[in-house]
Amino acid sequence: MINGYALNHRLDDAIQLFEKMPVRDTVSWNSMIKGCLNGGDLITAKKLFDEMPGRNVVSWTTMVNGYLQFGKIEVAERLFFEMPVKDVAAWNSMIYGYLKSGRVDEAVNLFRKMPSRNVISWTSMIDGLDYNGRNDEALIFYKKMVGFGVKLSSNTVSCVLRACANVMALHLGVQTHCQVVKLGFSFDEFICTSLLTFYANCKQMENACKVFNEKLHGNVVIWTALLTGYGLNHKHESALMVFGDMIRMAVLPNQSSFTSALNSCSGLEALDKGKEIHAVSVKLGLGSDVFVGNSLIVMYTVCGSINDAVAAFSNIGEKNVVSWNSIIVGSAKHGQGKLVLTLFSRMIRDEVDPDEISFTGLLSACSHSGMLQKARCFFEYISRYKSTAIKLQHYVCMVDVLSRCGKLEEAEELIKNMKVKPNSIVWLALLSACRMHSNLGVAERAAKSILDLEPNCSAAYVLLSNIYASAGKWSDVSRMRVRMKQAGIVKQLGCSWVTLRGVRHEFVCADRSHPLSEKIYQKLDWLGGKLKEFGYVPDESFALHDVEDEQKQEMLLYHSERLAVAFGLVTTAEGSTITVMKNLRACGDCHSAIKLIAKIVGREIIVRDSTRFHHFRNGMCSCGDYW
């Protein structure tokens, strides 16, 4: 009866019944102590333990477990060493406590001192070492366990497979799979999930599918493991097919299923599919779940729909720091500087402690919106913030905002005085702004610093070459191209694409391979005439080849992002939004042209480049031409 009360959270009733007992044996005392601990009452449990007339090894072990449960590792340790008699369960409890609190070496030492060990002892060590990032040691313990002839449990096998997955130990994992078959664990759901994860991490999706197809599963965890595995291997179409099959098989997705499916939507930039999955989550009552909501924020942000991302954020019931960081970073990428500042203020008011990601998003928003003074204040604040040290990414953002505002020398000085060693990304932030401000001196110094750190950095060669081209220094352009050729460095080809009804349509400069090329070029020619009417004059400094002016203008007209915009115009409904993705930074001349195109056609055009999103509406861009 005492156990029943305790299990049903009626601790007061259990204590009253215990006090009325005419005779209390050791089992009664132990049950009452355990009930108090399970009910969260450590003080009463300790009082009972101290008053207990005759303790046995179970009493001591229960109390040790209680202290460990409440995070009082030192008290548990002291009590453990005071125990007059220790059985294997007591040793296992203390080892588990050490491992859970990250005191791995002490766990290893205690394990070695054990007079006898069972399968739980070995499994605890394997799982704990893996949990604490010492995966290779975990597998060494597994091999020793097998060598000692200890019979494996299903829990042991799951832990070993997790460790093999983490270090991608394919050969040992396959051997363990053979053990699974021999021991008859093949249809154990936890083992099946572990095998799926193991093969997925080892890039063996064919074998993962074989494991999945050995039995018709109704367990959502197994389905989710397969779904997640496809996503990890960038097979997002297959992942979404698995999600669809789950629905058809009446296997209700859980939070993890939705998170994985939405991550695959992000990978494909499939906004329509993401909206469908969002609708399913709402129907299943998970629309306000924090994990689903966080994934929705990321998906909508990546797919260019920042308003939907903000709505998804607002719908989350209990927001965590990931929720705030996701919307802050996402809004920063979309150039919503004022919104980011508002969100950060709300975050502080809601007593959510910002972390390094929060501050990175904050500084990034300042950079993308030209808020130099705000950035200075936040950067100074981070340096004094007690729980967050200035990280490399914070320096990158600060260098970027200084450089974009024309403070190139100050940005260079900041890099030289950094508290951490600068990497090529910091210098690239400076170099990329040098073209905007036509500063060859700083550009050459920045490029040299990058190439000293990373001799084969193609971005440094390309950026410096482009700066020379903009300045008309064609001999220096030729010299850079020769150096690239000699070093075997290939410039990344600029590519833009539009995802339409789940199909990705890609374009490169002057591309005529698309089936709709004739209509695309007709639309571009029509737009060319309209642009002239609106006073557009091509900026030939963005034509990075030493050719005649007429050829330069033609090259600009057929840049990949313009081809993608034209494709969107001829394939989507009037008035609908066109979303274009580009792998490199948007061309400055194309930026000017697309602003006018959005006004001419009366549509919103969203262009995501390698740095940020640009929302073009009615002849204006969300970046305010500050990019």
mmCIF file of all heavy atoms in Angstrom, residues 448-481:
data_model
loop_
_atom_site.group_PDB
_atom_site.id
_atom_site.type_symbol
_atom_site.label_atom_id
_atom_site.label_comp_id
_atom_site.label_asym_id
_atom_site.label_seq_id
_atom_site.Cartn_x
_atom_site.Cartn_y
_atom_site.Cartn_z
ATOM 1 N N LYS A 448 46.420 39.111 -48.740
ATOM 2 C CA LYS A 448 47.692 38.478 -48.341
ATOM 3 C C LYS A 448 47.523 37.714 -47.028
ATOM 4 O O LYS A 448 48.015 36.580 -46.881
ATOM 5 C CB LYS A 448 48.794 39.532 -48.198
ATOM 6 C CG LYS A 448 50.161 38.947 -47.828
ATOM 7 C CD LYS A 448 51.212 40.023 -47.661
ATOM 8 C CE LYS A 448 52.573 39.395 -47.354
ATOM 9 N NZ LYS A 448 52.561 38.534 -46.169
ATOM 10 N N SER A 449 46.818 38.315 -46.078
ATOM 11 C CA SER A 449 46.602 37.657 -44.788
ATOM 12 C C SER A 449 45.787 36.375 -44.951
ATOM 13 O O SER A 449 46.060 35.362 -44.291
ATOM 14 C CB SER A 449 45.871 38.608 -43.829
ATOM 15 O OG SER A 449 46.660 39.749 -43.551
ATOM 16 N N ILE A 450 44.799 36.432 -45.837
ATOM 17 C CA ILE A 450 43.976 35.240 -46.081
ATOM 18 C C ILE A 450 44.816 34.127 -46.692
ATOM 19 O O ILE A 450 44.784 32.975 -46.249
ATOM 20 C CB ILE A 450 42.788 35.574 -47.014
ATOM 21 C CG1 ILE A 450 41.834 36.555 -46.337
ATOM 22 C CG2 ILE A 450 42.037 34.301 -47.412
ATOM 23 C CD1 ILE A 450 40.838 37.198 -47.280
ATOM 24 N N LEU A 451 45.606 34.482 -47.709
ATOM 25 C CA LEU A 451 46.385 33.467 -48.421
ATOM 26 C C LEU A 451 47.532 32.935 -47.577
ATOM 27 O O LEU A 451 47.994 31.813 -47.802
ATOM 28 C CB LEU A 451 46.894 34.032 -49.749
ATOM 29 C CG LEU A 451 45.779 34.397 -50.745
ATOM 30 C CD1 LEU A 451 46.335 35.088 -51.973
ATOM 31 C CD2 LEU A 451 44.997 33.147 -51.145
ATOM 32 N N ASP A 452 47.982 33.712 -46.594
ATOM 33 C CA ASP A 452 48.972 33.195 -45.646
ATOM 34 C C ASP A 452 48.353 32.103 -44.771
ATOM 35 O O ASP A 452 49.014 31.126 -44.413
ATOM 36 C CB ASP A 452 49.505 34.322 -44.745
ATOM 37 C CG ASP A 452 50.464 35.252 -45.480
ATOM 38 O OD1 ASP A 452 50.960 34.855 -46.558
ATOM 39 O OD2 ASP A 452 50.691 36.376 -44.983
ATOM 40 N N LEU A 453 47.078 32.314 -44.422
ATOM 41 C CA LEU A 453 46.369 31.336 -43.593
ATOM 42 C C LEU A 453 45.843 30.159 -44.407
ATOM 43 O O LEU A 453 45.835 29.024 -43.949
ATOM 44 C CB LEU A 453 45.181 32.014 -42.883
ATOM 45 C CG LEU A 453 45.513 33.043 -41.805
ATOM 46 C CD1 LEU A 453 44.267 33.857 -41.465
ATOM 47 C CD2 LEU A 453 46.029 32.345 -40.553
ATOM 48 N N GLU A 454 45.387 30.445 -45.615
ATOM 49 C CA GLU A 454 44.731 29.445 -46.455
ATOM 50 C C GLU A 454 45.163 29.664 -47.908
ATOM 51 O O GLU A 454 44.472 30.339 -48.676
ATOM 52 C CB GLU A 454 43.213 29.598 -46.312
ATOM 53 C CG GLU A 454 42.411 28.412 -46.773
ATOM 54 C CD GLU A 454 40.918 28.594 -46.536
ATOM 55 O OE1 GLU A 454 40.539 29.302 -45.588
ATOM 56 O OE2 GLU A 454 40.141 28.035 -47.333
ATOM 57 N N PRO A 455 46.321 29.115 -48.305
ATOM 58 C CA PRO A 455 46.913 29.409 -49.623
ATOM 59 C C PRO A 455 46.008 29.128 -50.818
ATOM 60 O O PRO A 455 46.148 29.769 -51.858
ATOM 61 C CB PRO A 455 48.156 28.507 -49.656
ATOM 62 C CG PRO A 455 48.481 28.261 -48.223
ATOM 63 C CD PRO A 455 47.173 28.216 -47.506
ATOM 64 N N ASN A 456 45.076 28.195 -50.686
ATOM 65 C CA ASN A 456 44.220 27.838 -51.818
ATOM 66 C C ASN A 456 42.796 28.382 -51.678
ATOM 67 O O ASN A 456 41.847 27.807 -52.208
ATOM 68 C CB ASN A 456 44.173 26.322 -51.985
ATOM 69 C CG ASN A 456 45.516 25.759 -52.417
ATOM 70 O OD1 ASN A 456 46.261 26.403 -53.157
ATOM 71 N ND2 ASN A 456 45.842 24.567 -51.946
ATOM 72 N N CYS A 457 42.658 29.505 -50.960
ATOM 73 C CA CYS A 457 41.324 30.095 -50.766
ATOM 74 C C CYS A 457 40.864 30.770 -52.061
ATOM 75 O O CYS A 457 41.342 31.854 -52.419
ATOM 76 C CB CYS A 457 41.367 31.103 -49.626
ATOM 77 S SG CYS A 457 39.779 31.909 -49.327
ATOM 78 N N SER A 458 39.944 30.137 -52.757
ATOM 79 C CA SER A 458 39.481 30.673 -54.046
ATOM 80 C C SER A 458 38.768 32.005 -53.868
ATOM 81 O O SER A 458 38.873 32.896 -54.725
ATOM 82 C CB SER A 458 38.550 29.670 -54.730
ATOM 83 O OG SER A 458 37.409 29.416 -53.935
ATOM 84 N N ALA A 459 38.041 32.178 -52.743
ATOM 85 C CA ALA A 459 37.292 33.423 -52.526
ATOM 86 C C ALA A 459 38.224 34.630 -52.485
ATOM 87 O O ALA A 459 37.888 35.695 -53.020
ATOM 88 C CB ALA A 459 36.503 33.328 -51.226
ATOM 89 N N ALA A 460 39.409 34.481 -51.878
ATOM 90 C CA ALA A 460 40.357 35.604 -51.797
ATOM 91 C C ALA A 460 40.843 35.998 -53.182
ATOM 92 O O ALA A 460 40.907 37.183 -53.527
ATOM 93 C CB ALA A 460 41.537 35.221 -50.905
ATOM 94 N N TYR A 461 41.195 34.995 -53.990
ATOM 95 C CA TYR A 461 41.654 35.274 -55.363
ATOM 96 C C TYR A 461 40.555 35.955 -56.167
ATOM 97 O O TYR A 461 40.799 36.947 -56.874
ATOM 98 C CB TYR A 461 42.045 33.966 -56.052
ATOM 99 C CG TYR A 461 43.411 33.439 -55.671
ATOM 100 C CD1 TYR A 461 43.544 32.335 -54.842
ATOM 101 C CD2 TYR A 461 44.574 34.042 -56.159
ATOM 102 C CE1 TYR A 461 44.791 31.838 -54.495
ATOM 103 C CE2 TYR A 461 45.827 33.550 -55.824
ATOM 104 C CZ TYR A 461 45.932 32.453 -54.990
ATOM 105 O OH TYR A 461 47.175 31.966 -54.646
ATOM 106 N N VAL A 462 39.332 35.422 -56.071
ATOM 107 C CA VAL A 462 38.226 35.950 -56.878
ATOM 108 C C VAL A 462 37.877 37.374 -56.450
ATOM 109 O O VAL A 462 37.699 38.261 -57.301
ATOM 110 C CB VAL A 462 36.999 35.024 -56.775
ATOM 111 C CG1 VAL A 462 35.782 35.668 -57.425
ATOM 112 C CG2 VAL A 462 37.292 33.684 -57.419
ATOM 113 N N LEU A 463 37.779 37.610 -55.141
ATOM 114 C CA LEU A 463 37.430 38.953 -54.660
ATOM 115 C C LEU A 463 38.475 39.982 -55.070
ATOM 116 O O LEU A 463 38.138 41.071 -55.564
ATOM 117 C CB LEU A 463 37.281 38.939 -53.135
ATOM 118 C CG LEU A 463 35.968 38.382 -52.579
ATOM 119 C CD1 LEU A 463 36.077 38.166 -51.079
ATOM 120 C CD2 LEU A 463 34.805 39.316 -52.886
ATOM 121 N N LEU A 464 39.761 39.651 -54.895
ATOM 122 C CA LEU A 464 40.825 40.596 -55.259
ATOM 123 C C LEU A 464 40.840 40.820 -56.767
ATOM 124 O O LEU A 464 40.998 41.962 -57.230
ATOM 125 C CB LEU A 464 42.178 40.074 -54.777
ATOM 126 C CG LEU A 464 43.368 41.038 -54.931
ATOM 127 C CD1 LEU A 464 43.083 42.364 -54.209
ATOM 128 C CD2 LEU A 464 44.650 40.415 -54.404
ATOM 129 N N SER A 465 40.635 39.752 -57.532
ATOM 130 C CA SER A 465 40.562 39.878 -58.991
ATOM 131 C C SER A 465 39.408 40.787 -59.401
ATOM 132 O O SER A 465 39.547 41.640 -60.292
ATOM 133 C CB SER A 465 40.395 38.494 -59.614
ATOM 134 O OG SER A 465 40.234 38.582 -61.010
ATOM 135 N N ASN A 466 38.261 40.634 -58.729
ATOM 136 C CA ASN A 466 37.094 41.474 -59.046
ATOM 137 C C ASN A 466 37.352 42.942 -58.703
ATOM 138 O O ASN A 466 36.896 43.851 -59.408
ATOM 139 C CB ASN A 466 35.868 40.978 -58.288
ATOM 140 C CG ASN A 466 35.367 39.639 -58.801
ATOM 141 O OD1 ASN A 466 35.817 39.148 -59.844
ATOM 142 N ND2 ASN A 466 34.446 39.025 -58.077
ATOM 143 N N ILE A 467 38.073 43.180 -57.604
ATOM 144 C CA ILE A 467 38.407 44.554 -57.214
ATOM 145 C C ILE A 467 39.327 45.183 -58.254
ATOM 146 O O ILE A 467 39.151 46.340 -58.647
ATOM 147 C CB ILE A 467 39.040 44.574 -55.804
ATOM 148 C CG1 ILE A 467 37.985 44.181 -54.758
ATOM 149 C CG2 ILE A 467 39.594 45.958 -55.471
ATOM 150 C CD1 ILE A 467 38.555 43.872 -53.386
ATOM 151 N N TYR A 468 40.301 44.396 -58.724
ATOM 152 C CA TYR A 468 41.183 44.891 -59.798
ATOM 153 C C TYR A 468 40.375 45.188 -61.060
ATOM 154 O O TYR A 468 40.576 46.216 -61.724
ATOM 155 C CB TYR A 468 42.253 43.851 -60.121
ATOM 156 C CG TYR A 468 43.396 43.770 -59.127
ATOM 157 C CD1 TYR A 468 43.900 42.532 -58.724
ATOM 158 C CD2 TYR A 468 43.987 44.919 -58.609
ATOM 159 C CE1 TYR A 468 44.947 42.445 -57.820
ATOM 160 C CE2 TYR A 468 45.033 44.842 -57.695
ATOM 161 C CZ TYR A 468 45.512 43.602 -57.310
ATOM 162 O OH TYR A 468 46.556 43.513 -56.425
ATOM 163 N N ALA A 469 39.424 44.295 -61.384
ATOM 164 C CA ALA A 469 38.612 44.481 -62.593
ATOM 165 C C ALA A 469 37.763 45.747 -62.497
ATOM 166 O O ALA A 469 37.647 46.514 -63.458
ATOM 167 C CB ALA A 469 37.723 43.264 -62.811
ATOM 168 N N SER A 470 37.171 45.964 -61.321
ATOM 169 C CA SER A 470 36.351 47.160 -61.131
ATOM 170 C C SER A 470 37.171 48.437 -61.283
ATOM 171 O O SER A 470 36.661 49.468 -61.735
ATOM 172 C CB SER A 470 35.711 47.143 -59.736
ATOM 173 O OG SER A 470 34.838 46.055 -59.612
ATOM 174 N N ALA A 471 38.453 48.339 -60.904
ATOM 175 C CA ALA A 471 39.340 49.501 -61.025
ATOM 176 C C ALA A 471 39.983 49.602 -62.402
ATOM 177 O O ALA A 471 40.774 50.525 -62.660
ATOM 178 C CB ALA A 471 40.422 49.427 -59.948
ATOM 179 N N GLY A 472 39.658 48.650 -63.286
ATOM 180 C CA GLY A 472 40.215 48.671 -64.649
ATOM 181 C C GLY A 472 41.661 48.225 -64.721
ATOM 182 O O GLY A 472 42.349 48.474 -65.721
ATOM 183 N N LYS A 473 42.156 47.547 -63.695
ATOM 184 C CA LYS A 473 43.548 47.063 -63.676
ATOM 185 C C LYS A 473 43.585 45.653 -64.268
ATOM 186 O O LYS A 473 43.738 44.652 -63.553
ATOM 187 C CB LYS A 473 44.081 47.095 -62.246
ATOM 188 C CG LYS A 473 44.228 48.501 -61.683
ATOM 189 C CD LYS A 473 44.804 48.474 -60.278
ATOM 190 C CE LYS A 473 45.076 49.886 -59.774
ATOM 191 N NZ LYS A 473 46.186 50.538 -60.479
ATOM 192 N N TRP A 474 43.474 45.581 -65.579
ATOM 193 C CA TRP A 474 43.320 44.289 -66.246
ATOM 194 C C TRP A 474 44.594 43.451 -66.212
ATOM 195 O O TRP A 474 44.512 42.217 -66.213
ATOM 196 C CB TRP A 474 42.841 44.494 -67.680
ATOM 197 C CG TRP A 474 41.504 45.180 -67.713
ATOM 198 C CD1 TRP A 474 41.240 46.443 -68.103
ATOM 199 C CD2 TRP A 474 40.258 44.621 -67.289
ATOM 200 N NE1 TRP A 474 39.894 46.731 -67.947
ATOM 201 C CE2 TRP A 474 39.273 45.623 -67.452
ATOM 202 C CE3 TRP A 474 39.868 43.377 -66.772
ATOM 203 C CZ2 TRP A 474 37.941 45.422 -67.135
ATOM 204 C CZ3 TRP A 474 38.538 43.170 -66.465
ATOM 205 C CH2 TRP A 474 37.591 44.190 -66.639
ATOM 206 N N SER A 475 45.733 44.080 -66.135
ATOM 207 C CA SER A 475 46.976 43.303 -66.042
ATOM 208 C C SER A 475 47.037 42.570 -64.702
ATOM 209 O O SER A 475 47.491 41.421 -64.618
ATOM 210 C CB SER A 475 48.192 44.227 -66.194
ATOM 211 O OG SER A 475 48.195 45.216 -65.177
ATOM 212 N N ASP A 476 46.551 43.242 -63.632
ATOM 213 C CA ASP A 476 46.516 42.582 -62.331
ATOM 214 C C ASP A 476 45.478 41.466 -62.302
ATOM 215 O O ASP A 476 45.677 40.433 -61.649
ATOM 216 C CB ASP A 476 46.196 43.605 -61.233
ATOM 217 C CG ASP A 476 47.353 44.555 -60.962
ATOM 218 O OD1 ASP A 476 48.497 44.077 -60.939
ATOM 219 O OD2 ASP A 476 47.105 45.761 -60.795
ATOM 220 N N VAL A 477 44.378 41.673 -63.025
ATOM 221 C CA VAL A 477 43.361 40.618 -63.145
ATOM 222 C C VAL A 477 43.978 39.385 -63.795
ATOM 223 O O VAL A 477 43.816 38.248 -63.331
ATOM 224 C CB VAL A 477 42.142 41.106 -63.954
ATOM 225 C CG1 VAL A 477 41.181 39.951 -64.219
ATOM 226 C CG2 VAL A 477 41.416 42.226 -63.221
ATOM 227 N N SER A 478 44.716 39.617 -64.889
ATOM 228 C CA SER A 478 45.361 38.504 -65.596
ATOM 229 C C SER A 478 46.361 37.788 -64.694
ATOM 230 O O SER A 478 46.447 36.548 -64.691
ATOM 231 C CB SER A 478 46.080 39.017 -66.854
ATOM 232 O OG SER A 478 45.156 39.607 -67.743
ATOM 233 N N ARG A 479 47.116 38.577 -63.916
ATOM 234 C CA ARG A 479 48.103 37.991 -63.012
ATOM 235 C C ARG A 479 47.421 37.083 -61.981
ATOM 236 O O ARG A 479 47.913 35.990 -61.686
ATOM 237 C CB ARG A 479 48.867 39.124 -62.309
ATOM 238 C CG ARG A 479 49.879 38.661 -61.268
ATOM 239 C CD ARG A 479 50.744 39.824 -60.788
ATOM 240 N NE ARG A 479 49.955 40.912 -60.257
ATOM 241 C CZ ARG A 479 49.490 40.958 -59.005
ATOM 242 N NH1 ARG A 479 49.753 39.963 -58.164
ATOM 243 N NH2 ARG A 479 48.781 41.997 -58.593
ATOM 244 N N MET A 480 46.288 37.538 -61.427
ATOM 245 C CA MET A 480 45.568 36.734 -60.443
ATOM 246 C C MET A 480 45.035 35.444 -61.074
ATOM 247 O O MET A 480 45.093 34.371 -60.458
ATOM 248 C CB MET A 480 44.403 37.529 -59.848
ATOM 249 C CG MET A 480 44.809 38.751 -59.034
ATOM 250 S SD MET A 480 45.878 38.349 -57.647
ATOM 251 C CE MET A 480 44.790 37.395 -56.641
ATOM 252 N N ARG A 481 44.544 35.539 -62.301
ATOM 253 C CA ARG A 481 44.001 34.350 -62.964
ATOM 254 C C ARG A 481 45.097 33.341 -63.270
ATOM 255 O O ARG A 481 44.880 32.127 -63.175
ATOM 256 C CB ARG A 481 43.259 34.765 -64.233
ATOM 257 C CG ARG A 481 41.934 35.459 -63.925
ATOM 258 C CD ARG A 481 41.225 35.973 -65.143
ATOM 259 N NE ARG A 481 39.965 36.629 -64.758
ATOM 260 C CZ ARG A 481 39.251 37.388 -65.565
ATOM 261 N NH1 ARG A 481 39.667 37.620 -66.821
ATOM 262 N NH2 ARG A 481 38.125 37.948 -65.144
#
